[in-house]
Amino acid sequence: MEKNVGGYDRIARAVLGPVLIIVGAAALAGFVTIAAGTLGLVVAGAALLVGAVLATTAVTQKCPLNRALGVNTYKGEIRAETEPSGKARAQ
């Protein structure tokens, strides 16, 4: 899979992901109350899961959902496939 996460998209994921992980973990540990009862556990688990996905996609710069939707915010180096790889160039 090619990289498709970059720019502000990557920054937002890198900030929001760890925040959701911390909030989800704190809620599961009982330090923060998001909602009462089972709903609170479900919301905390979802926050933890979504935060982990966002943090992972920020680090790897690869997002399957972006690929499925045809979104590409990565503006990195693009290699030309027609360029010879092992031959020396004449100067």
Side-chain angles (χ1 to χ4, degrees), residues 2-82:
E2 294 180 16
K3 292 181 180 180
N4 60 7
V5 177
Y8 292 118
D9 185 20
R10 184 175 185 204
I11 293 169
R13 290 168 190 254
V15 170
L16 192 58
V19 168
L20 285 175
I21 290 172
I22 292 169
V23 169
L28 286 175
F31 296 119
V32 177
T33 302
I34 295 176
T38 308
L39 179 62
L41 291 175
V42 170
V43 172
L48 194 61
L49 180 66
V50 170
V53 168
L54 288 175
T56 302
T57 57
V59 170
T60 62
Q61 293 183 302
K62 299 174 184 178
C63 179
L65 184 59
N66 275 9
R67 183 172 152 217
L69 295 174
V71 176
N72 186 356
T73 59
Y74 181 71
K75 305 284 190 247
E77 178 182 321
I78 299 172
R79 289 186 250 174
E81 304 245 351
T82 58

